[in-house]
Amino acid sequence: MTDLPQITHKRACHLCEAICGLDIVTQGDQILSIKGDKDDPLSRGHICPKAIALQDLHEDPDRIKKPIKRVDGEWVEIPWEQAFSEIAERVAALQGEHGNDSLAVYAGNPNVHNYGNLTHGKLLRKALQTKSNFSATSLDQLPHHFV
Ligand code: SF4
């Protein structure tokens, strides 16, 4: 492991709209440090604790990387094809029985920086034809303004 070179990756924190610049030093699969990128023209080396905690997210042994399904009270991994197919069947059945708006979509902040959401999120929401759309704004900020 120690023979592997240390590499500094210039990245941007994707956890909120500030998009602070990061220097992430890795060695092989290991993250050695996460610091603010002093060369970033906007954040200029400043970051908040959430960016440092990205390492905890990355290394969390409980992080879900594959679809899981509860079978007889136990969580078991299932293939992606099975997950998509079962979800599609159940979404169609739910909307068929209770109407399109019975299905709600919630999109949190990091979603804004997710390429999959950028390219396919709008199409998915259009296909679902639900008016029940929620976000960090609708759940956190607008009620605060209202109060
Ligand atoms: S470091 Fe903190 S403030 Fe900067 S983008 Fe990440 S979460 Fe936002």
Side-chain angles (χ1 to χ4, degrees), residues 33-44:
S33 70
I34 300 177
K35 293 181 179 159
D37 178 1
K38 290 187 170 57
D39 298 328
D40 185 276
L42 298 175
S43 55
R44 295 180 292 171

Side-chain angles (χ1 to χ4, degrees), residues 111 114-128:
N111 219 25
N114 178 287
Y115 286 123
N117 181 62
L118 287 175
T119 57
H120 292 77
K122 198 171 174 184
L123 294 172
L124 174 63
R125 284 192 289 277
K126 191 172 178 188
L128 292 172

Side-chain angles (χ1 to χ4, degrees), residues 12-22 43 46-52 54:
C13 176
H14 64 295
L15 293 179
C16 86
E17 289 83 349
I19 315 176
C20 300
L22 302 177
S43 55
H46 297 282
I47 54 174
C48 80
K50 287 194 285 182
I52 297 164
L54 284 169

